[in-house]
Amino acid sequence: MSKTESRRSTKDRFIGKVVGFLIRSLYREVDVYAPVSIPSGRPKLNVANHFGGVSDALLLLGVLPDRPGIVARDVIWNVPVVGRLMNWIGAIPVHKPEDHNSPTSNDEMFTSCYDALNDAGNILIFPEGVTRNEPSIATVKTGAARIAIGARAHGVDGIQIVPIGIHYENKAALRSQVFINVGMPLDLDELIANQWPSGTEVTASNRAAVDALTDGIDIALRRAAPDYEDWSEASQLATGAAIALRSQLDDSASEVPFALRDRLANTLADLPAEHRARICASVKEYQEDLETIGTTDAVLHARLRTGGFLSALMWQLIIGICLLPFVAVGIAVNVIPFLLVKAVGRLRVAPSMHSTIKPVVASLAFGVTWGIVIWRAIATFGWSAGGVAFILLPVYFAAVVLFVERLMLILRAYRRWRAPGYPQPFSEQVAARRSAVVEAVLGS
């Protein structure tokens, strides 16, 4: 091994340790799933969705077996320290027209990518070109296809295009979970051989070839990455997947693995629109039942299997009864500010105005009311009584909120039980709706 290769290996190991430490600190768990092993010793163009900004690159630096050259917007290099760091890790700057007042060329970027792919190297690119806040893949740009075809035209053989889906449990939360879904690799030589006659010159300037490969990358990336119509569908398909998978677990109280849930949800997202709508509708109906009795699917599933459904409703009633002494005081203290906030809610103004006025009125009304109660306690019984009032007032308020919620849950359960068209007991209705979710998901 040459000194240069030795230094490169040491550098890669150091970067791997630093990135690994950061990932372990930021995320509770990172699961990687690959249906097939990616052949080693071949140049790889990794294409990934871009939902998490810098986190995307950090995660893939940590999980990919070989450190890739990351293709990133050149404006990042304008930050002095960050620019040096990007050079140190071997990132490749790409020029975007919207970042510059004058036309710029990406010839140097393409040359750097060709060099990186040569000798079984690999690069990483986010072909959407933008960070997405929506749970869907944006239009895939032609850059990745032009790099792959251009590198092949410059003598790089055996290029594998590897689609990678990054699934975040909550990309804004600390210590959440991440699932990395590695899709089936695309063999560039095979694709070109199947689509173009032997002897045809296929270069990065061949628009038809670039568009065809871009379409292939788009399809592969959507299969690997989260790609939902909207956040509502994303949530309902993920919930449906978790419900169906929980039915297959030996221990019904066990948590459904996040990676397994998102793999199934991602598969459901590829179904026809009418099938997805049926799953979402069944999930919505079942969630309404869960809200009615104030529980979760994991708890309810366990109780349905052990015959403890009635105890769930009785537990809500017991909690409400225990809260009654606190509720009486809480209502007496908070009735006036509550009525003021209720009156504000009836004002005929825009929803955005409501969302501005109500918190202000609530803060003032409850704050002034509690201040008066504390002041009267101090004036009548002394500072220690004022301190007790300061502690108990939020408790009384919370008791009222909890009691009202439990009362509404019980009333909704009673109305659902007494509703015409539902002759079966409420427990059987809930069980049937849960089974409908499982059937809609697993029947796909």
Side-chain angles (χ1 to χ4, degrees):
M1 180 182 293
S2 67
K3 291 183 179 180
T4 302
E5 290 173 329
S6 177
R7 284 196 300 269
R8 185 182 297 119
S9 299
T10 302
K11 178 179 175 180
D12 286 345
R13 287 196 297 270
F14 177 75
I15 292 175
K17 289 183 180 298
V18 172
V19 171
F21 171 77
L22 290 173
I23 291 175
R24 288 191 297 274
S25 301
L26 294 172
Y27 301 101
R28 183 170 79 254
E29 186 176 354
V30 178
D31 286 324
V32 181
Y33 171 76
V36 297
S37 58
I38 308 302
S40 59
R42 298 182 64 176
K44 290 179 284 292
L45 173 61
N46 304 286
V47 292
N49 62 298
H50 206 14
F51 288 7
V54 175
S55 298
D56 298 334
L58 183 69
L59 283 163
L60 295 183
L61 274 176
V63 304
L64 292 177
D66 301 313
R67 179 170 61 88
I70 302 172
V71 179
R73 295 174 73 158
D74 63 347
V75 292
I76 299 175
W77 274 258
N78 294 336
V79 183
V81 176
V82 176
R84 293 196 174 199
L85 178 62
M86 296 295 281
N87 287 331
W88 184 66
I89 65 173
I92 302 168
V94 60
H95 309 298
K96 297 180 74 69
E98 57 265 32
D99 295 333
H100 302 275
N101 295 323
S102 58
T104 54
S105 171
N106 273 314
D107 291 345
E108 186 176 346
M109 181 272 292
F110 282 108
T111 300
S112 297
C113 289
Y114 302 160
D115 292 341
L117 288 172
N118 200 18
D119 194 23
N122 75 114
I123 61 176
L124 167 64
I125 186 170
F126 302 102
E128 299 164 277
V130 293
T131 301
R132 294 280 286 175
N133 288 318
E134 296 77 10
S136 58
I137 302 299
T139 301
V140 171
K141 307 292 180 62
T142 61
R146 292 168 62 198
I147 289 172
I149 292 175
R152 181 179 181 276
H154 280 73
V156 182
D157 297 322
I159 296 175
Q160 296 276 295
I161 302 172
V162 184
I164 302 174
I166 308 173
H167 300 244
Y168 291 96
E169 179 186 33
N170 184 346
K171 63 183 180 182
L174 187 65
R175 302 295 296 166
S176 63
Q177 300 179 84
V178 182
F179 165 47
I180 308 294
N181 187 26
V182 182
M184 295 292 292
L186 306 176
D187 188 303
L188 182 60
D189 292 338
E190 184 178 321
L191 289 174
I192 290 178
N194 291 336
Q195 292 181 359
W196 302 96
S198 178
T200 303
E201 184 180 12
V202 180
T203 66
S205 60
N206 186 324
R207 187 69 187 184
V210 169
D211 288 344
L213 182 57
T214 299
D215 290 342
I217 292 173
D218 183 282
I219 293 171
L221 187 57
R222 291 179 191 276
R223 286 174 178 166
D227 189 37
Y228 304 99
E229 286 291 328
D230 50 41
W231 285 110
S232 175
E233 183 186 85
S235 174
Q236 289 171 344
L237 291 182
T239 300
I243 292 168
L245 289 168
R246 186 172 287 112
S247 298
Q248 311 301 309
L249 298 176
D250 293 332
D251 181 4
S252 58
S254 298
E255 182 179 356
V256 176
F258 172 69
L260 197 59
R261 185 206 76 178
D262 258 38
R263 275 179 57 198
L264 179 54
N266 210 49
T267 301
L268 299 177
D270 290 334
L271 295 173
E274 62 273 12
H275 200 143
R276 299 199 310 272
R278 186 162 65 251
I279 294 173
C280 291
S282 63
V283 169
K284 184 178 179 181
E285 285 187 339
Y286 177 56
Q287 285 180 315
E288 289 174 355
D289 286 339
L290 292 178
E291 291 173 3
T292 295
I293 56 177
T295 189
T296 64
D297 176 66
V299 173
L300 179 64
H301 183 48
R303 284 177 173 164
L304 286 172
R305 294 178 66 177
T306 58
F309 177 82
L310 183 60
S311 65
L313 289 177
M314 293 302 297
W315 181 244
Q316 302 300 327
L317 182 62
I318 292 171
I319 292 176
I321 293 173
C322 293
L323 289 173
L324 279 175
F326 297 92
V327 171
V329 178
I331 291 175
V333 172
N334 295 295
V335 62
I336 293 177
F338 173 77
L339 291 175
L340 285 173
V341 175
K342 191 74 173 176
V344 170
R346 293 182 176 273
L347 293 176
R348 294 184 177 180
V349 296
S352 58
M353 184 62 70
H354 268 303
S355 65
T356 301
I357 297 175
K358 287 180 73 173
V360 174
V361 173
S363 299
L364 290 175
F366 285 100
V368 170
T369 301
W370 293 4
I372 292 173
V373 172
I374 294 171
W375 171 69
R376 290 297 300 163
I378 293 173
T380 306
F381 302 105
W383 285 98
S384 58
V388 172
F390 179 80
I391 294 172
L392 288 180
L393 281 170
V395 175
Y396 291 138
F397 178 78
V400 174
V401 173
L402 289 173
F403 179 80
V404 172
E405 287 181 347
R406 264 52 189 185
L407 181 62
M408 294 304 296
L409 290 172
I410 293 170
L411 289 176
R412 278 192 297 189
Y414 177 76
R415 285 197 295 267
R416 295 286 288 277
W417 175 58
R418 297 289 296 174
Y422 292 99
Q424 76 269 45
F426 186 57
S427 60
E428 293 181 13
Q429 175 192 319
V430 176
R433 287 191 167 174
R434 189 182 192 282
S435 296
V437 174
V438 176
E439 182 180 348
V441 172
L442 299 185
S444 59

PDB file of all heavy atoms in Angstrom, residues 375-394:
ATOM      1  N   TRP A 375     -53.515  36.279  45.626  1.00  0.00           N
ATOM      2  CA  TRP A 375     -53.443  37.501  46.451  1.00  0.00           C
ATOM      3  C   TRP A 375     -54.403  37.422  47.642  1.00  0.00           C
ATOM      4  O   TRP A 375     -54.057  37.762  48.768  1.00  0.00           O
ATOM      5  CB  TRP A 375     -53.780  38.712  45.581  1.00  0.00           C
ATOM      6  CG  TRP A 375     -53.941  39.990  46.373  1.00  0.00           C
ATOM      7  CD1 TRP A 375     -52.982  40.693  47.028  1.00  0.00           C
ATOM      8  CD2 TRP A 375     -55.180  40.672  46.599  1.00  0.00           C
ATOM      9  NE1 TRP A 375     -53.521  41.795  47.658  1.00  0.00           N
ATOM     10  CE2 TRP A 375     -54.871  41.801  47.408  1.00  0.00           C
ATOM     11  CE3 TRP A 375     -56.501  40.447  46.201  1.00  0.00           C
ATOM     12  CZ2 TRP A 375     -55.854  42.700  47.816  1.00  0.00           C
ATOM     13  CZ3 TRP A 375     -57.472  41.354  46.606  1.00  0.00           C
ATOM     14  CH2 TRP A 375     -57.154  42.448  47.389  1.00  0.00           C
ATOM     15  N   ARG A 376     -55.637  36.914  47.418  1.00  0.00           N
ATOM     16  CA  ARG A 376     -56.596  36.779  48.504  1.00  0.00           C
ATOM     17  C   ARG A 376     -56.132  35.744  49.525  1.00  0.00           C
ATOM     18  O   ARG A 376     -56.334  35.914  50.736  1.00  0.00           O
ATOM     19  CB  ARG A 376     -57.953  36.365  47.934  1.00  0.00           C
ATOM     20  CG  ARG A 376     -58.656  37.437  47.124  1.00  0.00           C
ATOM     21  CD  ARG A 376     -58.981  38.653  47.988  1.00  0.00           C
ATOM     22  NE  ARG A 376     -59.856  38.287  49.093  1.00  0.00           N
ATOM     23  CZ  ARG A 376     -60.055  39.033  50.169  1.00  0.00           C
ATOM     24  NH1 ARG A 376     -59.395  40.187  50.294  1.00  0.00           N
ATOM     25  NH2 ARG A 376     -60.873  38.636  51.128  1.00  0.00           N
ATOM     26  N   ALA A 377     -55.504  34.662  49.051  1.00  0.00           N
ATOM     27  CA  ALA A 377     -54.993  33.650  49.978  1.00  0.00           C
ATOM     28  C   ALA A 377     -53.899  34.225  50.861  1.00  0.00           C
ATOM     29  O   ALA A 377     -53.854  33.956  52.075  1.00  0.00           O
ATOM     30  CB  ALA A 377     -54.468  32.450  49.194  1.00  0.00           C
ATOM     31  N   ILE A 378     -53.017  35.037  50.275  1.00  0.00           N
ATOM     32  CA  ILE A 378     -51.936  35.654  51.055  1.00  0.00           C
ATOM     33  C   ILE A 378     -52.509  36.637  52.057  1.00  0.00           C
ATOM     34  O   ILE A 378     -52.103  36.679  53.240  1.00  0.00           O
ATOM     35  CB  ILE A 378     -50.942  36.354  50.109  1.00  0.00           C
ATOM     36  CG1 ILE A 378     -50.216  35.313  49.247  1.00  0.00           C
ATOM     37  CG2 ILE A 378     -49.936  37.185  50.913  1.00  0.00           C
ATOM     38  CD1 ILE A 378     -49.334  35.929  48.176  1.00  0.00           C
ATOM     39  N   ALA A 379     -53.457  37.464  51.606  1.00  0.00           N
ATOM     40  CA  ALA A 379     -54.038  38.490  52.480  1.00  0.00           C
ATOM     41  C   ALA A 379     -54.801  37.877  53.645  1.00  0.00           C
ATOM     42  O   ALA A 379     -54.831  38.435  54.751  1.00  0.00           O
ATOM     43  CB  ALA A 379     -54.968  39.391  51.660  1.00  0.00           C
ATOM     44  N   THR A 380     -55.428  36.713  53.413  1.00  0.00           N
ATOM     45  CA  THR A 380     -56.265  36.112  54.452  1.00  0.00           C
ATOM     46  C   THR A 380     -55.503  35.155  55.351  1.00  0.00           C
ATOM     47  O   THR A 380     -55.656  35.174  56.583  1.00  0.00           O
ATOM     48  CB  THR A 380     -57.446  35.355  53.802  1.00  0.00           C
ATOM     49  OG1 THR A 380     -58.155  36.252  52.924  1.00  0.00           O
ATOM     50  CG2 THR A 380     -58.405  34.837  54.867  1.00  0.00           C
ATOM     51  N   PHE A 381     -54.642  34.313  54.766  1.00  0.00           N
ATOM     52  CA  PHE A 381     -53.995  33.244  55.537  1.00  0.00           C
ATOM     53  C   PHE A 381     -52.475  33.336  55.586  1.00  0.00           C
ATOM     54  O   PHE A 381     -51.833  32.544  56.270  1.00  0.00           O
ATOM     55  CB  PHE A 381     -54.385  31.875  54.963  1.00  0.00           C
ATOM     56  CG  PHE A 381     -55.876  31.650  54.946  1.00  0.00           C
ATOM     57  CD1 PHE A 381     -56.583  31.725  53.754  1.00  0.00           C
ATOM     58  CD2 PHE A 381     -56.564  31.373  56.127  1.00  0.00           C
ATOM     59  CE1 PHE A 381     -57.961  31.504  53.736  1.00  0.00           C
ATOM     60  CE2 PHE A 381     -57.940  31.146  56.110  1.00  0.00           C
ATOM     61  CZ  PHE A 381     -58.645  31.234  54.911  1.00  0.00           C
ATOM     62  N   GLY A 382     -51.862  34.250  54.833  1.00  0.00           N
ATOM     63  CA  GLY A 382     -50.425  34.404  54.867  1.00  0.00           C
ATOM     64  C   GLY A 382     -49.730  33.845  53.628  1.00  0.00           C
ATOM     65  O   GLY A 382     -50.363  33.273  52.730  1.00  0.00           O
ATOM     66  N   TRP A 383     -48.411  34.040  53.597  1.00  0.00           N
ATOM     67  CA  TRP A 383     -47.626  33.660  52.411  1.00  0.00           C
ATOM     68  C   TRP A 383     -47.618  32.157  52.146  1.00  0.00           C
ATOM     69  O   TRP A 383     -47.574  31.722  50.992  1.00  0.00           O
ATOM     70  CB  TRP A 383     -46.188  34.150  52.571  1.00  0.00           C
ATOM     71  CG  TRP A 383     -46.065  35.630  52.373  1.00  0.00           C
ATOM     72  CD1 TRP A 383     -46.020  36.594  53.332  1.00  0.00           C
ATOM     73  CD2 TRP A 383     -46.004  36.302  51.111  1.00  0.00           C
ATOM     74  NE1 TRP A 383     -45.929  37.843  52.766  1.00  0.00           N
ATOM     75  CE2 TRP A 383     -45.907  37.700  51.394  1.00  0.00           C
ATOM     76  CE3 TRP A 383     -46.004  35.895  49.784  1.00  0.00           C
ATOM     77  CZ2 TRP A 383     -45.823  38.664  50.410  1.00  0.00           C
ATOM     78  CZ3 TRP A 383     -45.918  36.846  48.801  1.00  0.00           C
ATOM     79  CH2 TRP A 383     -45.832  38.211  49.089  1.00  0.00           C
ATOM     80  N   SER A 384     -47.654  31.358  53.193  1.00  0.00           N
ATOM     81  CA  SER A 384     -47.646  29.907  52.966  1.00  0.00           C
ATOM     82  C   SER A 384     -48.905  29.464  52.233  1.00  0.00           C
ATOM     83  O   SER A 384     -48.852  28.602  51.346  1.00  0.00           O
ATOM     84  CB  SER A 384     -47.538  29.161  54.297  1.00  0.00           C
ATOM     85  OG  SER A 384     -48.623  29.518  55.156  1.00  0.00           O
ATOM     86  N   ALA A 385     -50.046  30.077  52.569  1.00  0.00           N
ATOM     87  CA  ALA A 385     -51.294  29.759  51.862  1.00  0.00           C
ATOM     88  C   ALA A 385     -51.214  30.194  50.407  1.00  0.00           C
ATOM     89  O   ALA A 385     -51.716  29.505  49.506  1.00  0.00           O
ATOM     90  CB  ALA A 385     -52.473  30.433  52.548  1.00  0.00           C
ATOM     91  N   GLY A 386     -50.557  31.352  50.182  1.00  0.00           N
ATOM     92  CA  GLY A 386     -50.372  31.803  48.803  1.00  0.00           C
ATOM     93  C   GLY A 386     -49.533  30.825  48.000  1.00  0.00           C
ATOM     94  O   GLY A 386     -49.805  30.571  46.811  1.00  0.00           O
ATOM     95  N   GLY A 387     -48.488  30.276  48.637  1.00  0.00           N
ATOM     96  CA  GLY A 387     -47.657  29.289  47.947  1.00  0.00           C
ATOM     97  C   GLY A 387     -48.430  28.022  47.615  1.00  0.00           C
ATOM     98  O   GLY A 387     -48.270  27.442  46.534  1.00  0.00           O
ATOM     99  N   VAL A 388     -49.270  27.576  48.552  1.00  0.00           N
ATOM    100  CA  VAL A 388     -50.100  26.389  48.300  1.00  0.00           C
ATOM    101  C   VAL A 388     -51.060  26.648  47.145  1.00  0.00           C
ATOM    102  O   VAL A 388     -51.262  25.790  46.269  1.00  0.00           O
ATOM    103  CB  VAL A 388     -50.871  25.997  49.568  1.00  0.00           C
ATOM    104  CG1 VAL A 388     -51.878  24.889  49.265  1.00  0.00           C
ATOM    105  CG2 VAL A 388     -49.912  25.550  50.667  1.00  0.00           C
ATOM    106  N   ALA A 389     -51.676  27.851  47.135  1.00  0.00           N
ATOM    107  CA  ALA A 389     -52.599  28.196  46.049  1.00  0.00           C
ATOM    108  C   ALA A 389     -51.873  28.223  44.706  1.00  0.00           C
ATOM    109  O   ALA A 389     -52.415  27.760  43.686  1.00  0.00           O
ATOM    110  CB  ALA A 389     -53.244  29.553  46.328  1.00  0.00           C
ATOM    111  N   PHE A 390     -50.641  28.740  44.711  1.00  0.00           N
ATOM    112  CA  PHE A 390     -49.846  28.803  43.482  1.00  0.00           C
ATOM    113  C   PHE A 390     -49.601  27.407  42.915  1.00  0.00           C
ATOM    114  O   PHE A 390     -49.605  27.202  41.697  1.00  0.00           O
ATOM    115  CB  PHE A 390     -48.515  29.504  43.784  1.00  0.00           C
ATOM    116  CG  PHE A 390     -47.590  29.599  42.599  1.00  0.00           C
ATOM    117  CD1 PHE A 390     -47.772  30.569  41.638  1.00  0.00           C
ATOM    118  CD2 PHE A 390     -46.540  28.703  42.459  1.00  0.00           C
ATOM    119  CE1 PHE A 390     -46.932  30.653  40.540  1.00  0.00           C
ATOM    120  CE2 PHE A 390     -45.685  28.777  41.366  1.00  0.00           C
ATOM    121  CZ  PHE A 390     -45.890  29.759  40.409  1.00  0.00           C
ATOM    122  N   ILE A 391     -49.407  26.428  43.805  1.00  0.00           N
ATOM    123  CA  ILE A 391     -49.160  25.052  43.368  1.00  0.00           C
ATOM    124  C   ILE A 391     -50.451  24.356  42.945  1.00  0.00           C
ATOM    125  O   ILE A 391     -50.488  23.628  41.945  1.00  0.00           O
ATOM    126  CB  ILE A 391     -48.471  24.253  44.499  1.00  0.00           C
ATOM    127  CG1 ILE A 391     -47.063  24.819  44.766  1.00  0.00           C
ATOM    128  CG2 ILE A 391     -48.378  22.768  44.138  1.00  0.00           C
ATOM    129  CD1 ILE A 391     -46.391  24.230  45.983  1.00  0.00           C
ATOM    130  N   LEU A 392     -51.536  24.587  43.688  1.00  0.00           N
ATOM    131  CA  LEU A 392     -52.765  23.828  43.450  1.00  0.00           C
ATOM    132  C   LEU A 392     -53.610  24.356  42.294  1.00  0.00           C
ATOM    133  O   LEU A 392     -54.358  23.590  41.682  1.00  0.00           O
ATOM    134  CB  LEU A 392     -53.614  23.816  44.733  1.00  0.00           C
ATOM    135  CG  LEU A 392     -53.086  22.949  45.878  1.00  0.00           C
ATOM    136  CD1 LEU A 392     -54.022  23.022  47.073  1.00  0.00           C
ATOM    137  CD2 LEU A 392     -52.921  21.503  45.428  1.00  0.00           C
ATOM    138  N   LEU A 393     -53.527  25.639  41.996  1.00  0.00           N
ATOM    139  CA  LEU A 393     -54.369  26.187  40.932  1.00  0.00           C
ATOM    140  C   LEU A 393     -54.175  25.459  39.595  1.00  0.00           C
ATOM    141  O   LEU A 393     -55.166  25.104  38.932  1.00  0.00           O
ATOM    142  CB  LEU A 393     -54.123  27.686  40.778  1.00  0.00           C
ATOM    143  CG  LEU A 393     -54.829  28.565  41.813  1.00  0.00           C
ATOM    144  CD1 LEU A 393     -54.332  30.001  41.743  1.00  0.00           C
ATOM    145  CD2 LEU A 393     -56.342  28.514  41.635  1.00  0.00           C
ATOM    146  N   PRO A 394     -52.938  25.225  39.131  1.00  0.00           N
ATOM    147  CA  PRO A 394     -52.773  24.444  37.891  1.00  0.00           C
ATOM    148  C   PRO A 394     -53.308  23.016  38.022  1.00  0.00           C
ATOM    149  O   PRO A 394     -53.804  22.446  37.043  1.00  0.00           O
ATOM    150  CB  PRO A 394     -51.251  24.446  37.668  1.00  0.00           C
ATOM    151  CG  PRO A 394     -50.748  25.617  38.440  1.00  0.00           C
ATOM    152  CD  PRO A 394     -51.646  25.716  39.638  1.00  0.00           C
TER     153      PRO A 394
END
